[in-house]
Amino acid sequence: MTNVVEINNLHVRYGKLIAVNGISFKIPKGEVFGFIGPNGAGKSSTIKVLATLQREFTADVLRVNGFDVRLQAHKVRECIGYMPDFFGVYDNLTAREYLHFFAAAFKIDIEKRDAIISDVLELTDLTAKIDAQVDSLSRGMKQRLALARVLLHDPDLLLLDEPASGLDPRARIEIRELLRALRDMGKTILISSHILHELSQLCTSIGIIETGTLVTQGTLEDIYERLSLMRIVHAQISNLDEEMVGRIGQIPGVESLEQQVDRLAIRLKEGETPIEELHEKLVQNGARIRMFQPEAMDMETAFMKLTEGKTA
Amino acid sequence: MIDKLRNRFSLPLLARDLTQQAGRRSMYILRTILIIGMIAWVWLATNSVNNLGGRTASSLQSLGSGRWLFQDLVGTLFIGIYILVPILSCGSIAQEKENDSLQLLLLTRLGPWAILLEKYLSRVLPMLLYLFCALPIFAYLYSLGGITEQQIFASFYLLVLAILQLNAICLFCSAASGKTINALVLSLFVMLFFYVAPAFLLSLIETLFSGLLSWRWTNFLNTVSWFTIPPVLNSLADENYLAQYTPLPFAQTPSLQLVLASTPIWISIVIFLVLARVILLRKAINKSRNWLYVFFEKLDGIFNEWNEDMGGGIVLIKERNDLPEYEPIAWKETRKSAIGTARYLFRMLVVLELPILLLCLVLISEGSRNSTIFYFFSILMICIAMLILVNKSTGLITQERMQQTLDVVLTTPVNGRDIILQKSRGVRKLWIIVMIPVLTVIISKMLIITSSAQFAYLTFACAFTLTTTWLGIWLSIFIGLRQKRHIYAVTTTLSILGIWCVSFWLLRLLFVFGLSPDDLQIARLISPLEVLRMIDGLAFNDLNLEFYSNSTILGYLVYTALATCLIRYSCLKQADQLSGRISDSSQDLKPTPPRLSLTKEEKPLHA
């Protein structure tokens, strides 16, 4: 599979401050790569390098779509769509004028512009707002307009820096759905965020970055397995008493138990006892089960385990 | 009890502002430049004094030279104050509004007056400190003789008053504006109006309607208008003209007489502080709007009303509502920016040109005796034009940076050179508009001078105006590319232009007695103000100066044009680099091998 992004040993310095310290990763075509890390970890700096907006850096390899970012910046710009962590919209234009402005900047044929703009507005669900002043749009709409702008020239790689930051829940869900649609269209996406739950639903692979260093990368399953993360099963047992709790605690593979108001949270060691087996063993121990719900593996746990919480 | 008193009389805002200012890098640079400048000045002054009577001359021959040096020093200090105070003080309140912290301050127990006065003192005290640095030089010059304690007191007192008055003006403008840049531009206009307009209007009334005001009234108004300007009062006090100029009491005690004569300055300080207090609350909550935009909006309403009443709503210029084709940035600058559309440019032209045209017609009808008024008039118009152009040109890139839209534009395939060239289209339109009133003044003056001088005057004056403003535009764009904030770009550009304007004067000051008349003539071509004075001299057919003037003016035009070409080339060549993206050719970027280990000084982010 061809790699759309190839980074090897990237260093970015701001004076004496090291923002990115030897990051390396590859993003194959069609993949959604989630870039996770706390504020100031080096996510935006890495994305800026790929967007040709960072002049001072060193890297052994730095390619986008096979083009060297340092030597073929012009070609790189034609195949990327960059959305910064701020809106980057002109408030005094209408949505139509704004998109035409960038269509002209990307040198799209005049004859094709109307059709393309109509398509991207439809995709971002902004068709009704085509003649609205950008100033009058809500934050979520502005963000969707910025996404529409990014899609105008049909880039191979989308660089999205915190696309959901500062949005309300509805707007956040709308953006997530939009990104899913783009993923299904086969776009390669590099997305940075610190809203882990959303990335876990969207990304095919992730990279966790802290203090300029990539602490881990791979698919979610790989990472969970690598970390030997425990899984949690929530169960409601009608005949739960001290004795029953003691018996459940003795089941092999059970790490710990936590008695909550209406349920029992059973923490399992990853890879030791499959969930189906736990259910069987609970029944064998005489538990009358009213509810049995395994909790999805969460990225927050992975993130907390992998990072040390170093902040400014 | 002590804690209560301390709380009662603590000045938190003043303490915070002074600490912040003391920590700024620009202030360190300013202080260093000031100290180096003073040391250099003392060294040059000593050198000049030593050379005064030749090597064999006794030190007695240098006695009395302190007077000239003192006058030059005070003049320089006044220039320094008039350049530095607006730059340092305009952000005092406007910056709080930009950070949305003024409303929070107003919610505290600090009253509006406390906020104002603490802000005022926070800008006045550092300037006074800089002024105190000059006191040892005053003492040194006193030792050279030629000046009295009274003159030192008068100059020092008026320098302090200049600081107080300018700070009051800037505080008022800062309170009236939502952005620091607007406050700076407004303060320059207010200063121009406050210092120049009364005297100009009086002389105009005297010229046009002689006899309208009685001699006493004219004399009184003239006195007041001049006495509100500290440098003018200083020169009058220095030459002992105060008593002759107006019948003031305390003739035996000149210090008291000076204090009395400075009453208009004190009154103006109080007026501006009260105005600042009045406007502070009114403008504290209002969302910042471009005052020029608001002005044109109001004007729009009046014009539309007249048009509806008298013309039935005729539309002469219909604004095109088109979309960009292949030059989107030029389209945005000329169709969508506030002062870029044909409609607004036309209105601006009407506002600027109509009164000037009327004034010029009246002055032309009066004949050649008004030619000196035209000289000051043309300086005023060029200054206004330059101010408008600098504000617009510096904002081309800095405004995009501040609105966070530059990065988005930089990731498009439009190259840096094209971005700058397309952006400059809007400035070019504006340039044509602001040049029309300046050229009106020049042509009007040409009509009243002798016919033999007309061609030379018109050619040189037009060439001077066009080249100087064109240089100003490209210098502004270049500085705008390098600076992150609009206000810094404007102040840097205006400072450079200001120093350029008074360069001849500064050069003469540095080499007080060292320049021969020929050297002085060559040095003249550096300063646009001097060259403009020479062009004005051509109008009087001063044959003695004609040869010198023509060659100097030509020299000025050539070097200004060359400098403009050089700056423009540099802007376009380094556009990508200065705007912060990897250039298309990328020849300037050579990958350096990464270091695997960090030195002791280097630290990872957040580590």
Side-chain angles (χ1 to χ4, degrees), chain B residues 226-422:
Chain B
W226 289 119
F227 279 20
T228 47
I229 310 171
V232 174
L233 197 56
N234 180 57
S235 61
L236 289 173
D238 194 46
E239 303 290 341
N240 286 328
Y241 282 160
L242 271 184
Q244 295 166 26
Y245 203 83
T246 183
L248 284 166
F250 311 115
Q252 298 305 313
T253 45
S255 301
L256 273 176
Q257 202 176 35
L258 177 70
V259 172
L260 199 66
S262 65
T263 312
I265 299 176
W266 284 108
I267 292 171
S268 70
I269 293 169
V270 173
I271 288 173
F272 278 112
L273 286 177
V274 171
L275 281 174
R277 165 67 184 84
V278 170
I279 215 151
L280 179 73
L281 289 181
R282 288 189 188 180
K283 291 276 182 177
I285 300 155
N286 289 358
K287 193 77 186 162
S288 127
R289 291 193 69 196
N290 189 338
W291 53 268
L292 201 64
Y293 206 70
V294 174
F295 173 69
F296 280 126
E297 250 181 19
K298 296 226 162 117
L299 213 64
D300 249 9
I302 299 168
F303 284 152
N304 283 336
E305 213 171 287
W306 287 355
N307 191 21
E308 287 294 330
D309 292 347
M310 295 187 280
I314 300 167
V315 179
L316 287 175
I317 303 172
K318 211 170 190 177
E319 206 68 66
R320 278 191 290 169
N321 198 19
D322 55 359
L323 293 165
E325 290 183 351
Y326 293 104
E327 292 190 319
I329 300 164
W331 167 83
K332 191 181 156 293
E333 288 298 320
T334 52
R335 303 265 208 285
K336 292 290 161 187
S337 76
I339 315 173
T341 57
R343 200 163 50 133
Y344 276 98
L345 287 173
F346 183 72
R347 279 164 201 186
M348 187 182 244
L349 178 65
V350 171
V351 170
L352 285 173
E353 178 67 1
L354 261 185
I356 285 156
L357 196 64
L358 286 172
L359 209 62
C360 285
L361 285 174
V362 174
L363 290 171
I364 290 167
S365 68
E366 287 285 313
S368 60
R369 68 194 172 102
N370 291 325
S371 55
T372 44
I373 294 181
F374 273 115
Y375 171 60
F376 294 107
F377 205 21
S378 55
I379 291 180
L380 187 72
M381 290 316 297
I382 290 172
C383 284
I384 291 172
M386 203 61 130
L387 207 58
I388 294 170
L389 291 171
V390 166
N391 186 31
K392 173 81 180 167
S393 313
T394 47
L396 291 182
I397 298 296
T398 50
Q399 293 279 26
E400 294 261 3
R401 271 207 185 106
M402 288 165 73
Q403 288 165 9
Q404 301 185 312
T405 46
L406 186 65
D407 276 0
V408 178
V409 174
L410 289 178
T411 49
T412 64
V414 184
N415 65 46
R417 182 190 158 85
D418 279 350
I419 291 176
I420 301 296
L421 285 176
Q422 288 187 41

Side-chain angles (χ1 to χ4, degrees), chain A residues 9 11 13 16-19 21 39-42 48-49 51-55 57-60 69-74 77-78 80 82 84 86-90 92-93 96-98 100-102 104-108 110 113 149 211 310-312, chain B residues 321-332 336-338 400 403-415 418 423 576-578 580-586 588-598 601-607:
Chain A
N9 202 18
H11 291 258
R13 295 184 182 88
K16 287 181 178 172
L17 215 63
I18 312 267
N21 192 12
N39 291 331
K48 274 194 149 188
V49 169
T52 72
L53 293 174
Q54 178 69 40
R55 289 180 58 81
F57 67 88
T58 59
D60 293 344
V69 174
R70 280 169 298 209
L71 304 172
Q72 294 163 295
H74 188 72
R77 274 178 214 125
E78 281 177 359
I80 60 162
Y82 170 63
F86 39 83
F87 294 132
V89 290
Y90 294 110
N92 58 338
L93 303 183
R96 185 199 298 274
E97 286 168 343
Y98 177 74
H100 268 278
F101 175 88
F102 281 100
F106 279 106
K107 298 180 171 70
I108 296 170
I110 292 181
R113 280 183 206 167
R149 188 255 308 158
T211 58
K310 287 178 186 167
T311 50
Chain B
N321 198 19
D322 55 359
L323 293 165
E325 290 183 351
Y326 293 104
E327 292 190 319
I329 300 164
W331 167 83
K332 191 181 156 293
K336 292 290 161 187
S337 76
E400 294 261 3
Q403 288 165 9
Q404 301 185 312
T405 46
L406 186 65
D407 276 0
V408 178
V409 174
L410 289 178
T411 49
T412 64
V414 184
N415 65 46
D418 279 350
K423 281 231 157 242
D576 278 324
Q577 189 189 337
L578 293 175
R581 74 171 175 183
I582 301 170
S583 45
D584 292 338
S585 59
S586 299
D588 53 328
L589 277 177
K590 294 213 167 47
T592 49
R595 285 173 297 163
L596 295 174
S597 58
L598 307 180
E601 292 80 34
E602 290 175 337
K603 52 172 182 177
L605 196 62
H606 306 307

Side-chain angles (χ1 to χ4, degrees), chain B residues 3 32 51 57 151 200 214 223 298 309 384-385 425 435 452 496 544 554:
Chain B
D3 281 349
T32 313
N51 291 337
Q151 280 167 329
F200 182 74
S214 67
T223 309
K298 296 226 162 117
D309 292 347
I384 291 172
R425 298 273 181 82
M435 279 302 97
S452 58
I496 292 172
N544 292 330
L554 277 173

Side-chain angles (χ1 to χ4, degrees), chain A residues 228-240:
Chain A
S228 303
L229 284 180
M230 288 167 291
R231 306 184 77 176
I232 299 172
V233 175
H234 296 276
Q236 274 184 354
I237 297 167
S238 58
N239 58 339
L240 191 69

Side-chain angles (χ1 to χ4, degrees), chain B residues 102-127:
Chain B
L102 182 63
Q103 292 174 37
L104 299 179
L105 279 178
L106 288 168
L107 288 174
T108 64
R109 285 187 181 169
L110 293 170
W113 269 116
I115 292 171
L116 268 182
L117 291 177
E118 285 188 44
K119 284 278 175 193
Y120 183 62
L121 286 176
S122 72
R123 297 313 196 263
V124 165
L125 292 178
M127 280 309 295

Side-chain angles (χ1 to χ4, degrees), chain A residues 89-94 133-136 142, chain B residues 403:
Chain A
V89 290
Y90 294 110
D91 287 344
N92 58 338
L93 303 183
T94 63
Q133 284 283 328
V134 173
D135 199 19
S136 69
K142 278 184 185 173
Chain B
Q403 288 165 9

